[in-house]
Amino acid sequence: MHLVDDNDPIRAIGFITVYSAYAEQRMDEVLEYLGDDSQNRAQAKQKIKHLRKVTAHFEWFDDEGDRFSKLLDEAEPIFDKRGQYIHNRYIGCSDGAIFMKPGRPDREQEKVTSGTLYEFANEVFDMSGSFNASKKWLGRAKKAIEQS
């Protein structure tokens, strides 16, 4: 479900958190679908790396391999950004501005809006759906390997 900005940044962060959990679950489901549950407790980056390794030898049809590789390429920075949005502190100002303040002293605070946060929540939601849809492509590739 695509979200619309309601000017509530805290609610938007909640959606980022929930949708990120769904996206990780979809990656776990893809791995389980491939018969590999060894990465269930791994961080998202490790799961992405493992998915690349597991699917490297697949016989893809049409552009499915390129689409799956692109999905993994896009997922990595999304999960990095997710970590920033979830683990940083938010400071509201009297003028309504919101600043995201990193926990690390070497990083600068950044002005954010609820619109930016909702836009990112929608991006995470779309990624989750793409992992779910990828099971169809992976199924065909896996079947081709098993039949050869």
Side-chain angles (χ1 to χ4, degrees):
M1 169 175 92
H2 275 270
L3 304 167
V4 178
D5 181 11
D6 63 358
N7 294 315
D8 185 345
I10 302 305
R11 188 168 184 246
I13 294 166
F15 278 110
I16 290 170
T17 303
V18 171
Y19 286 173
S20 295
Y22 290 158
E24 279 207 64
Q25 179 183 348
R26 297 292 176 258
M27 279 198 298
D28 288 342
E29 290 170 359
V30 167
L31 285 163
E32 287 172 19
Y33 183 74
L34 296 173
D36 184 346
D37 62 357
S38 67
Q39 300 295 307
N40 280 352
R41 296 208 181 276
Q43 293 181 347
K45 270 189 169 182
Q46 291 305 112
K47 291 176 187 181
I48 292 167
K49 184 178 178 180
H50 189 71
L51 278 168
R52 284 187 200 286
K53 181 180 166 187
V54 169
T55 59
H57 65 282
F58 276 24
E59 294 179 26
W60 297 98
F61 296 92
D62 300 324
D63 64 343
E64 292 170 347
D66 292 337
R67 287 191 292 173
F68 190 70
S69 180
K70 183 179 178 195
L71 172 60
L72 295 177
D73 290 345
E74 292 171 353
E76 197 164 340
I78 289 173
F79 278 110
D80 285 343
K81 196 172 183 180
R82 175 265 334 238
Q84 291 173 3
Y85 280 136
I86 292 174
H87 296 294
N88 288 325
R89 295 168 285 179
Y90 291 85
I91 301 165
C93 299
S94 59
D95 65 356
I98 304 163
F99 289 90
M100 182 174 66
K101 185 173 173 104
R104 294 182 180 172
D106 61 331
R107 297 218 177 134
E108 295 289 320
Q109 69 181 15
E110 176 184 338
K111 187 174 182 177
V112 294
T113 65
S114 59
T116 303
L117 296 168
Y118 274 112
E119 185 178 310
F120 183 68
N122 287 326
E123 192 176 342
V124 174
F125 181 83
D126 290 342
M127 178 185 63
S128 178
S130 295
F131 273 112
N132 197 40
S134 72
K135 288 188 281 189
K136 173 181 64 176
W137 317 326
L138 291 164
R140 285 195 289 261
K142 181 181 171 188
K143 188 174 181 181
I145 289 171
E146 290 169 351
Q147 290 177 347
S148 60

